[in-house]
Amino acid sequence: MKKDSKKNIKHSSSSDETSTSTEVIAVKVDDLTVAYNYKPVLWDIDLEIPEGVLMAIVGPNGAGKSTLIKSILGILKPIAGSVSIYGKPYEKQRQLVAYVPQKGSVDWDFPTTALDVVMMGTYGSLGWIKRPGQKEKKAALEALEKVGMLAFKSRQISQLSGGQQQRIFLARALVQNASIYFMDEPFQGVDATTEIAIINILKELRKAGKTVIVVHHDLQTVPEYFDWVTFLNVKKIATGPVKDIFNDDNLTKTYGINYKVSIQE
Amino acid sequence: MYTNKTLKVINLIEYIELVFTDYTLRTITLGTTILGAVTGMLGSFAVLRKQSLLGDAISHAALPGIAIAFLITGAKDSNTLLIGALISGLIGTFWIRGIVTKTHLKSDTALGLILSLFFGFGMLLLTFIQKQPNANQAGLDKYLFGQAATLVESDVWLMAIVTGICFIVMLTFWKEFKILLFDADYAQTLGFNTKFIDILITTFIVLAIVLGLQTVGVVLMSAMLLAPAAAARQWTNSLSVMVLLAAIFGALSGVFGTAISASQDNLSTGPVIVLVAGVFVVFSFIFSPSRGLLFKQIRFIKNRRDLELHKTLAFMHHIAETHEDISHPHAVKLLNNFQGYTRSTLQKLVDKNYVQLHGNMWSLTKTGFEVASNLYTKQSTEDE
Ligand SMILES: Nc1ncnc2c1ncn2[C@@H]1O[C@H](COP(=O)(O)OP(=O)(O)O)[C@@H](O)[C@H]1O
Ligand SMILES: [Mg+2]
């Protein structure tokens, strides 16, 4: 868990918004097929995510977006296929990856505080048994500050609003100081202020050369927020730069009905 | 009625004296106290994992193990029987896990299934044993409701050792336990072997339950696991405090339960301990300051009163605003137009020095005016 190589990461030197010339592949998925029961919910997915993109995964409810992320992160065991992070299996690259689960996946009535949840982001680098100390606490406080939640550090987590809980989850991932971030619907149930705060943080991450993959529901904001997009509905419909592939054709293929989204030129 | 109560008090004092002098009673009290502490502690984990039925399933699954151990060895020695209980409890638990992961049945379905299957089988074996012409057989059914009086020193030692090990393991893997309970998927992405942590917790829960079978019995054992933890949850928002409180509540249930049953001749100890734990639960659900029903109701009433007060103040502010001089007096009669205005709200505003009364006229004070104009802006920003 501790000796993950970071050798082959080259952070893109320029933070050019529309850089499509990135050569390093951060995440590679080959022939991934996943089933909970008998019928696969993900079918033969091939995916290459270049380093440094801010990518949206879009698709209808039940399309398998969460399942895709969970399979990449090794939470689910696929029937077939493989995943690599910077060319190596996920198990060897854990420290390069951070995860923001769907907010509804945990019980927010759990007896703990905001700071304590954010500290969990340091558990991975601590490894077994070792307790978090001052260094970890400092990192957690910094992350809380970054998401504008420092004032709430001692709050019991059930007493936070939905948007605040989402920020806490984001802070927990930020503490991991990873290179690749997977986020499952981070904008779900948050107010406009929080949405802007979160997207600004995501854009900052991209600027720092990180790769950010976000399950996203609001199609209207895809062109504004993201530079890369993957259409998913059991199969992969398309993946690529937003400006090239975010069009009515792909939306219709993914959502099954005639979609018209006006994209600004 | 009165004499009865006095009698009981005397009995309790006598009991306390006895605890220090009488070997048997001391052994039993120690046993139930340790048992209460360890089940309370581990019960917190079961409650937070939302696996309330797990304890029930494990304890019921232990029954056939007791019967089989007796059939094989013919012994009534409690340690032998408990090993049987442990084995079949563990088998039941891992079958439950297996069913959930292999068949996609919901976990309460799996728990219910194993519970009734194992318990049914256990009862069948008990009936069979009872029909056998063997003098030794009598007494196996004490495992149904427990019999604290059969506790001997070695049982208490065993409990103490298991509790000690459990405590050390809990401290060692505290961080791992916490993250598994809160967010198992996330823990796995960090590289923790969540299966191992889960098995560790579950194994200790099984151990604690098996230890309690002799005292509290199969049927009531899960209450021992859940009640102290459920009560503790009401008082705190910190995991460590919750575990500690649950251990204390459990231990106190053991002490008081034993005391009460020892001072009342015919009461069997196990059910009384469980009842005492139940009292902790009821008390906590009513009186806890942050989650209790009582304080929730009080807060609700207080909020409603505050709201009335604020609404009246806002209305007065509205009137006062029409005048350049905010302290200009207005007729009290004007307020009658406002729904929800009462004489007592006005008096409260005066008491708070927000409003001054001059006969039939009122005026806002400076503080009152400021508070009123901040009322709504404050409420809308308070959340962020
Ligand atoms: N734990 C599970 N057990 C069985 N089926 C599941 C489970 N989780 C998700 N599914 C099914 O898998 C499909 C994809 O789910 P999911 O990945 O959550 O979709 P999305 O995140 O795109 O809404 C859905 O049809 C859903 O019903
Ligand atoms: Mg989802």
Side-chain angles (χ1 to χ4, degrees):
Chain A
M1 187 150 65
K2 271 172 204 151
K3 291 207 178 116
D4 296 335
S5 88
K6 289 202 183 191
K7 265 178 274 172
N8 41 5
I9 312 164
K10 276 176 248 143
H11 289 303
S12 46
S13 47
S14 84
S15 54
D16 183 10
E17 284 257 318
T18 55
S19 91
T20 52
S21 57
T22 340
E23 276 126 53
V24 183
I25 300 298
V27 182
K28 192 161 183 294
V29 177
D30 283 310
D31 299 329
L32 188 77
T33 301
V34 185
Y36 289 101
N37 297 312
Y38 303 104
K39 204 165 142 250
V41 295
L42 284 179
W43 188 256
D44 214 10
I45 308 284
D46 287 304
L47 194 61
E48 285 191 349
I49 307 172
E51 180 181 59
V53 298
L54 179 45
M55 182 179 98
I57 301 178
V58 299
N61 287 330
K65 306 180 292 294
S66 301
T67 305
L68 176 62
I69 291 188
K70 285 184 187 171
S71 314
I72 293 175
L73 297 176
I75 298 168
L76 292 172
K77 209 166 168 283
I79 304 179
S82 66
V83 173
S84 66
I85 307 286
Y86 285 113
K88 290 187 181 165
Y90 177 75
E91 293 72 44
K92 299 213 164 133
Q93 304 280 52
R94 282 184 202 286
Q95 296 218 316
L96 303 184
V97 180
Y99 174 43
V100 178
Q102 241 167 313
K103 205 186 77 209
S105 65
V106 302
D107 171 19
W108 288 94
D109 199 29
F110 192 83
T112 190
T113 61
L115 177 62
D116 219 25
V117 172
V118 177
M119 294 266 263
M120 289 179 187
T122 67
Y123 287 9
S125 56
L126 279 171
W128 287 90
I129 296 171
K130 220 171 131 200
R131 302 286 183 99
Q134 281 309 311
K135 185 171 138 240
E136 283 74 25
K137 189 170 174 193
K138 196 165 150 267
L141 289 173
E142 275 168 20
L144 274 169
E145 167 119 67
K146 223 176 269 172
V147 300
M149 287 291 295
L150 196 54
F152 295 87
K153 66 176 165 44
S154 310
R155 224 5 123 87
Q156 146 70 17
I157 53 173
S158 67
Q159 287 158 12
L160 298 169
S161 73
Q164 292 169 337
Q165 292 172 344
Q166 198 69 66
R167 289 183 196 217
I168 293 299
F169 259 13
L170 182 60
R172 184 177 71 171
L174 291 177
V175 164
Q176 287 181 256
N177 199 14
S179 305
I180 307 173
Y181 290 81
F182 288 93
M183 308 192 181
D184 203 341
E185 304 200 24
F187 300 113
Q188 188 191 37
V190 308
D191 56 17
T193 337
T194 303
E195 176 151 344
I196 292 167
I198 293 178
I199 193 66
N200 284 338
I201 290 169
L202 301 195
K203 285 182 172 169
E204 253 173 54
L205 286 173
R206 177 183 53 190
K207 234 183 222 163
K210 319 262 180 178
T211 311
V212 185
I213 295 127
V214 180
V215 173
H216 192 57
H217 261 302
D218 181 10
L219 295 170
Q220 304 291 335
T221 53
V222 169
E224 186 189 331
Y225 291 173
F226 300 94
D227 56 12
W228 210 264
V229 64
T230 294
F231 291 93
L232 186 76
N233 192 351
V234 185
K235 296 180 179 178
K236 184 193 77 183
I237 312 292
T239 183
V242 170
K243 63 176 170 34
D244 297 339
I245 68 157
F246 194 71
N247 52 40
D248 293 345
D249 184 32
N250 280 328
L251 283 166
T252 307
K253 273 191 210 155
T254 309
Y255 288 86
I257 29 170
N258 255 325
Y259 249 92
K260 290 262 177 286
V261 173
S262 49
I263 307 167
Q264 63 266 51
E265 293 302 304
Chain B
M1 189 75 199
Y2 221 75
T3 45
N4 203 354
K5 209 173 162 191
T6 348
L7 195 76
K8 207 163 155 190
V9 171
I10 290 169
N11 274 348
L12 268 179
I13 292 168
E14 259 174 25
Y15 162 79
I16 291 167
E17 276 170 15
L18 274 177
V19 165
F20 291 102
T21 51
D22 185 271
Y23 169 79
T24 316
L25 197 56
R26 190 171 57 212
T27 311
I28 295 172
T29 308
L30 258 178
T32 54
T33 308
I34 294 173
L35 181 71
V38 71
T39 51
M41 201 160 83
L42 289 163
S44 303
F45 296 137
V47 165
L48 290 174
R49 285 223 81 181
K50 304 252 179 301
Q51 285 183 327
S52 305
L53 250 181
L54 182 69
D56 232 5
I58 295 172
S59 61
H60 284 75
L63 191 60
I66 294 173
I68 292 172
F70 174 76
L71 283 175
I72 293 175
T73 63
K76 247 178 32 171
D77 156 48
S78 69
N79 288 346
T80 316
L81 298 183
L82 287 186
I83 286 174
L86 181 63
I87 292 170
S88 87
L90 284 173
I91 291 175
T93 312
F94 290 104
W95 278 11
I96 291 168
R97 287 178 59 96
I99 291 174
V100 172
T101 49
K102 294 267 150 51
T103 68
H104 309 284
L105 282 177
K106 283 237 219 66
S107 77
D108 23 345
T109 317
L111 287 167
L113 200 69
I114 293 297
L115 185 154
S116 21
L117 270 181
F118 275 63
F119 188 60
F121 183 51
M123 287 305 284
L124 198 75
L125 289 175
L126 279 194
T127 329
F128 172 72
I129 291 169
Q130 231 120 50
K131 289 224 174 84
Q132 297 231 308
N134 182 344
N136 252 347
Q137 76 219 8
L140 266 203
D141 50 345
K142 77 168 189 238
Y143 284 95
L144 283 179
F145 291 102
Q147 201 171 350
T150 59
L151 282 178
V152 294
E153 199 179 316
S154 67
D155 297 328
V156 176
W157 272 114
L158 187 66
M159 284 181 183
I161 290 167
V162 172
T163 305
I165 294 173
C166 172
F167 192 69
I168 291 167
V169 168
M170 190 182 72
L171 286 184
T172 312
F173 294 104
W174 181 257
K175 153 173 138 274
E176 286 77 13
F177 283 179
K178 188 198 284 184
I179 196 169
L180 178 85
L181 292 171
F182 178 62
D183 194 347
D185 280 355
Y186 183 71
Q188 196 179 343
T189 69
L190 293 180
F192 291 103
N193 185 342
T194 48
K195 222 184 207 164
F196 170 75
I197 308 171
D198 191 26
I199 288 176
L200 202 61
I201 293 183
T202 314
T203 305
F204 275 102
I205 292 179
V206 175
L207 267 176
I209 285 177
V210 167
L211 279 182
L213 289 181
Q214 192 182 351
T215 317
V216 179
V218 165
V219 178
L220 290 174
M221 194 51 219
S222 76
M224 271 307 283
L225 196 68
L226 302 179
R233 179 68 189 94
Q234 297 296 309
W235 298 96
T236 175
N237 282 326
S238 144
L239 180 61
S240 41
V241 178
M242 177 180 167
V243 172
L244 190 72
L245 268 183
I248 292 172
F249 287 168
L252 288 178
S253 305
V255 174
F256 288 126
T258 314
I260 293 169
S261 83
S263 53
Q264 310 284 311
D265 250 357
N266 294 325
L267 293 179
S268 57
T269 315
V272 178
I273 294 176
V274 169
L275 272 181
V276 174
V279 170
F280 275 111
V281 173
V282 173
F283 183 82
S284 305
F285 272 78
I286 296 176
F287 293 106
S288 130
S290 63
R291 302 173 144 244
L293 296 175
L294 185 67
F295 286 90
K296 255 188 200 149
Q297 192 60 31
I298 290 174
R299 263 200 304 278
F300 177 74
I301 293 170
K302 189 177 171 303
N303 279 345
R304 206 169 52 191
R305 284 220 191 108
D306 283 354
L307 195 66
E308 271 164 19
L309 214 65
H310 287 165
K311 265 161 68 188
T312 314
L313 189 62
F315 182 73
M316 295 166 104
H317 177 250
H318 195 65
I319 298 173
E321 252 183 346
T322 58
H323 231 272
E324 249 171 60
D325 173 19
I326 54 153
S327 56
H328 182 89
H330 299 270
V332 171
K333 247 197 274 174
L334 267 180
L335 297 176
N336 289 338
N337 293 335
F338 178 64
Q339 241 187 347
Y341 156 76
T342 59
R343 201 72 216 186
S344 77
T345 28
L346 188 62
Q347 191 51 49
K348 267 189 211 126
L349 288 170
V350 173
D351 292 345
K352 289 195 170 208
N353 200 25
Y354 291 167
V355 171
Q356 280 176 332
L357 277 183
H358 331 269
N360 269 341
M361 308 290 272
W362 60 266
S363 67
L364 281 182
T365 63
K366 209 162 156 36
T367 359
F369 190 82
E370 269 163 21
V371 169
S373 49
N374 281 333
L375 264 183
Y376 293 104
T377 44
K378 197 175 129 215
Q379 247 160 22
S380 58
T381 52
E382 219 166 43
D383 241 17
E384 270 302 297

